[in-house]
Each structure stands twice: as C-alpha cells, then as structure tokens.
Amino acid sequence: MIRKRSGTRGGGGPARGRLRAALGGATTVLLTATALAALPQTTAHAADTLGAAAAEKGRYFGAAVAANHLGEAQYAATLDREFNSVTPENEMKWDAVEPNRGSFSFSRADQIVHHAQGKGMKVRGHTLVWHSQLPGWVSGLGATDLRSAMNNHITQVMTHYKGEIHSWDVVNEAFQDGGSGARRSSPFQDKLGDGFIEEAFRTARAADPNAKLCYNDYNTDGVNAKSNAVYTMVRDFKSRGVPIDCVGFQSHFNPNSPVPSDYRANLQRFADLGVDVQITELDIEGSGQAQATNYGNVVRACLAVTRCTGITVWGIPDKYSWRSSGTPLLFDDNYNKKPAYDAALSALGGTPGDPGDPGGPGDPTAACTATYSTAEQWSGGYNGKVTITAGSSPITGWSVDVTLASPQQVVSVWNGSPTSNGNVMTVRSTWNGSLAAGASTSFGFTVNGGTTPPPQVGACTAS
C-alpha cells in the first residue's frame, strides 16, 4: 500500500477621535460588545452536506486541513460548508510545534483551531508521538533525556490546547508492516522499549483528562498480523487500566490495497474492547462509480458500528492530496463534487444536491478574496480594514468571517452588516455588494481590548 509521505506544518478618547477621522462621512453602525453578542446566530445547514448529515447520525465528518490553504476562497468555503471536524495535516506534528527543544511554536496550528472554533467544528489533534517528522535533536537524545522530552512535549502541547481538542492521536504508526506484528524501529522504541506507548498515554491523560486518547495506524483496516498486534495491545491496555479511549484507522485505499471485506467486522472487534473507533485519514484512489461504491461502503461500515464516532478524509480537493495523481478525494481540482461525494452523502442519509448547487459540477459560483490591514492602532485597540476584491466574474454580494481572540471586542462596524456567533463576526455586504470583475470595496471595524493577536479573516464568499 502507498504510504503517506511527510508534509512540510478597551480604548478611551483618543480612539474615538481616530475613529471619526477614519470614518469621514461614512455611515457607522455602533455596536457594544453586548449588542454584538446578541446579534442573530448563524443557522445550521440542512442535511445536504457531509457534516450535517453525519451530525444527524451522531457522528462527525471531517477533513484534514492545511493552514496555508485557508486563504483560498474555494478551499475555505468548501471546508466551512461541508465538514464539522478538522484535523491539522502537519501543523501539530513535532517538527512544527517544537523545532528546538523546549521552544514551542503554535501559530500555524492555532490558525486552524481558531478557524474551526469559529465555525463550530470539532478538532482532532494529530499527532504527539510519531517516528516521522521529528526534528533532528530528538533522535540524538539518550534514553533519559528522550523520556523527559517525550513527556514534556505531550504535556506542553496538550496543555496549550486543553479543552479544545476532542481526540488526540497520542501515538502514531508504532507497528511494522508485514506479518511479524512487531514494533517499528524508532527513537522511542529503540531507546525506551515497548513501554513508551503506555507511558505516552498516561502522560496524555494527566495533561488533559477530558480529551479522547487514540492510537492511530495504517494497514490495520482488516484482520491481519498488524491489526492483530494493535488489537492485542489495546486489549492489554484496557485490562490494566491504561488510559486509551479510541483507535484510529487511517484507511488509505487504492486498487492494490482495497477496502477489505472484513472492514466492518474489524472495526467492530476493536469497539467490543470498549474503545471508540474513528476513520482518521480516509482517501480512496480511483474515479467514477468504483470509487463512489468504495466510499459508500466505508461510510456504511462506520454507521453499522455504534462506537464508530466519525470519519475524516485526508484533504479536500484532489489537487492538494498527498497522492493527487490517484484523485482519491471527494472534490476534484476545481472543487466540483465527485460521484464519491454523492455516495458518501447518500450513505449518511443526506440528499445530494443538483449539479448547479454550490460545489457541484458546473458550479457557476462567483469568487472574491478578502485581505486584512490595520488602519490605525493605539494602546487599547485598533481600526481594522478588510478589502474585498471580485474574481474574474462580477459579483452581487459577499460575506467574510472575522475571528477575534479574547478579550478583544468589536465596538463598531461600517460599510457592512455584521452578525455574531461567539467570537466570530460575519460581515455581509450592504450597499457595496455589486462589484465588477476585479473591482474592490472595503469594510471596517473598531476593536477594543488590545492589539494582538491580529484578527483572523476568513475566506470571502461571493454571490
């Protein structure tokens, strides 16, 4: 089977004066923080999207997300419309968050988490302990230092996201391929021995007692030597009270490694041990009806297992897949829904839309982009400006999400109509919605409560 390759992861008088100067003759909509919080909440999608249909079955349907694509309008719009869970592709891996010992950087991962939270999505954490994408300093440590570094890494990362991650891949891909059922050689296995997995899970439980703790692997989708070895480990952990809550099945399929006939039975036998099962990195190479049938079968297998709590596809459009030549995802390079999408949605009990629906084949949806700049800034806040630019076709309306970090609060908005959902403000066009191809307009807002971090401005959605 093809393996996943490594990826790259409040103001006073002066503020009012500046605000008047910035506004000139523009109409201003003044909003207190209380009024903003009381604005109409966003409405849920009907069961004609993957996330909504899965939610009606008590499950999530998520996607792996790359932070550097969130600024692409169609990428963000498809993510926001279709999915109710995200997994960072590379942004939470060891080399991304702790490139140097004891020095942590969460900015790219935070970008994904904040986007997901602004849309009411769940977040899966991926991954804490893995033999790949390790910074060089890790493999150079002796056993004592490595144990300390592993436990500190788990603790620091999980503490940073405590209460924000519903499931963590605590240990990833610790078993060999083939018929041996043996552990994979890695700095952790070679220097700490078999006990490193148990220690990682116990450390993770102490760091965030409420997060689900998962073991995640590939080529374990059917009953075979590798899945039997994982099964034996999980059974042992459950018998001894080692804290493990879930097992992730990556489910990377292709013609040489198809969906196994005992896929459902294998998921069920793990669930019978008293753990949840999750399909964590689903992609299926192929096209047309054959691919659609396989996607439908995977979804139905999950639904048939009560403790299968959700499905994550490893990417959104084919062009960004780690094996793009195999066209393994639910959307083509232009974000058109493929037959596989309709099959997955139908299996979830949803209703596929017409070809002209947003994201469907031949979708005529117009496009726009949103760029942010700080207009004025003072010690207690700032004026923000978002410029909207139409794409290659005219548009008649637009909307953009702006996500703020606590304790920042929006106190006024101009040239746009705002609504609120938690810390996310959605601004829609008013008089300035109609733009010719390539033309621009802007809206502005005043924030009190500090100047950092800057707001996260989501993708522009055009009509």
Side-chain angles (χ1 to χ4, degrees), residues 10-11 31-37 378 380-384 402-413 420 422-425 445-453 455:
L31 299 169
T32 66
T34 302
L36 183 59
W378 54 94
Y382 57 90
N383 291 331
V402 178
T403 303
L404 301 174
S406 179
Q408 294 181 10
Q409 296 175 327
V410 173
V411 294
S412 65
V413 178
S420 174
N423 65 332
V424 179
M425 174 180 67
F445 52 93
T446 297
V447 173
N448 282 346
T451 60
T452 58

Side-chain angles (χ1 to χ4, degrees), residues 48 82 336-337 341-342 345 351-364:
D48 57 357
E82 293 291 343
N336 295 319
K337 299 170 183 175
Y341 171 94
D342 288 342
L345 182 57
T351 303
D354 296 328
D357 284 347
D363 177 25

Side-chain angles (χ1 to χ4, degrees), residues 182-410:
R183 300 287 184 91
R184 177 192 299 275
S185 176
S186 72
F188 309 103
Q189 180 67 38
D190 298 345
K191 296 176 182 179
L192 304 181
D194 287 353
F196 88 87
I197 300 180
E198 176 176 341
E199 185 167 355
F201 274 84
R202 292 192 183 279
T203 301
R205 176 66 87 224
D208 187 351
N210 295 318
K212 296 281 189 179
L213 308 181
C214 306
Y215 175 79
N216 189 54
D217 217 325
Y218 69 97
N219 277 353
T220 56
D221 307 291
V223 178
N224 55 39
K226 187 175 184 180
S227 66
N228 286 341
V230 176
Y231 180 89
T232 299
M233 179 189 73
V234 175
R235 183 177 60 190
D236 172 61
F237 280 9
K238 295 298 291 184
S239 71
R240 295 190 295 109
V242 179
I244 184 169
D245 305 304
C246 40
V247 177
F249 298 82
Q250 293 185 16
S251 298
H252 298 295
F253 299 124
N254 58 57
N256 296 319
S257 180
V259 181
S261 59
D262 57 357
Y263 185 62
R264 172 184 167 182
N266 189 50
L267 296 177
Q268 186 63 61
R269 71 165 177 156
F270 276 87
D272 290 342
L273 292 176
V275 293
D276 292 341
V277 294
Q278 300 175 356
I279 299 169
T280 55
E281 303 183 18
L282 177 64
D283 51 18
I284 305 176
E285 290 188 337
S287 62
Q289 188 55 49
Q291 184 184 47
T293 298
N294 283 323
Y295 263 102
N297 288 340
V298 169
V299 172
R300 282 186 288 272
C302 178
L303 293 178
V305 178
T306 302
R307 296 197 69 155
C308 183
T309 58
I311 297 171
T312 299
V313 289
W314 203 252
I316 300 176
D318 285 332
K319 64 182 177 181
Y320 294 142
S321 169
W322 62 282
R323 45 181 183 164
S324 57
S325 62
T327 61
L329 296 173
L330 299 174
F331 298 87
D332 69 16
D333 291 354
N334 296 313
Y335 297 91
N336 295 319
K337 299 170 183 175
K338 297 163 60 176
Y341 171 94
D342 288 342
L345 182 57
S346 295
L348 288 165
T351 303
D354 296 328
D357 284 347
D363 177 25
T365 301
C368 57
T369 58
T371 56
Y372 171 78
S373 61
T374 299
E376 295 87 21
Q377 184 172 308
W378 54 94
S379 60
Y382 57 90
N383 291 331
K385 177 183 178 181
V386 177
T387 300
I388 309 297
T389 304
S392 58
S393 301
I395 64 174
T396 58
W398 48 261
S399 67
V400 176
D401 288 345
V402 178
T403 303
L404 301 174
S406 179
Q408 294 181 10
Q409 296 175 327
V410 173

Side-chain angles (χ1 to χ4, degrees), residues 60-61 96 103 168 171 318 333 351 398 421 441 450:
Y60 64 84
F61 202 106
S103 178
W168 272 106
V171 176
D318 285 332
D333 291 354
T351 303
W398 48 261
N421 185 12
T441 188

Side-chain angles (χ1 to χ4, degrees), residues 25-221:
T27 300
T28 306
V29 181
L30 292 177
L31 299 169
T32 66
T34 302
L36 183 59
L39 289 168
Q41 301 296 298
T42 55
T43 57
H45 292 293
D48 57 357
T49 66
L50 298 167
E56 290 191 350
K57 302 291 187 180
R59 291 162 171 83
Y60 64 84
F61 202 106
V65 173
N68 64 325
H69 295 321
L70 286 174
E72 182 182 333
Q74 285 183 291
Y75 184 95
T78 305
L79 169 65
D80 297 348
R81 182 184 71 243
E82 293 291 343
F83 301 98
N84 60 354
S85 173
V86 302
T87 301
E89 285 191 21
N90 294 292
E91 290 81 355
M92 286 184 178
K93 291 172 182 173
W94 199 315
D95 61 349
V97 298
E98 194 185 3
N100 299 297
R101 188 173 185 181
S103 178
F104 291 84
S105 176
F106 296 106
S107 59
R108 300 297 279 172
D110 285 351
Q111 183 182 352
I112 294 175
V113 172
H114 294 160
H115 183 97
Q117 290 174 331
K119 298 298 180 180
M121 300 176 182
K122 295 181 177 181
V123 182
R124 293 194 79 257
H126 177 80
T127 177
L128 295 168
V129 181
W130 186 32
H131 68 276
S132 186
Q133 291 182 241
L134 285 172
W137 64 267
V138 177
S139 58
L141 298 177
T144 300
D145 274 352
L146 181 61
R147 171 172 282 108
S148 176
M150 180 186 78
N151 289 332
N152 183 64
H153 180 82
I154 294 169
T155 300
Q156 295 300 322
V157 176
M158 291 189 70
T159 299
H160 181 81
Y161 292 109
K162 189 173 183 178
E164 299 181 290
I165 305 292
H166 76 82
S167 301
W168 272 106
D169 291 331
V170 178
V171 176
N172 196 50
E173 302 177 2
F175 287 83
Q176 293 181 12
D177 291 326
S180 70
R183 300 287 184 91
R184 177 192 299 275
S185 176
S186 72
F188 309 103
Q189 180 67 38
D190 298 345
K191 296 176 182 179
L192 304 181
D194 287 353
F196 88 87
I197 300 180
E198 176 176 341
E199 185 167 355
F201 274 84
R202 292 192 183 279
T203 301
R205 176 66 87 224
D208 187 351
N210 295 318
K212 296 281 189 179
L213 308 181
C214 306
Y215 175 79
N216 189 54
D217 217 325
Y218 69 97
N219 277 353
T220 56
D221 307 291

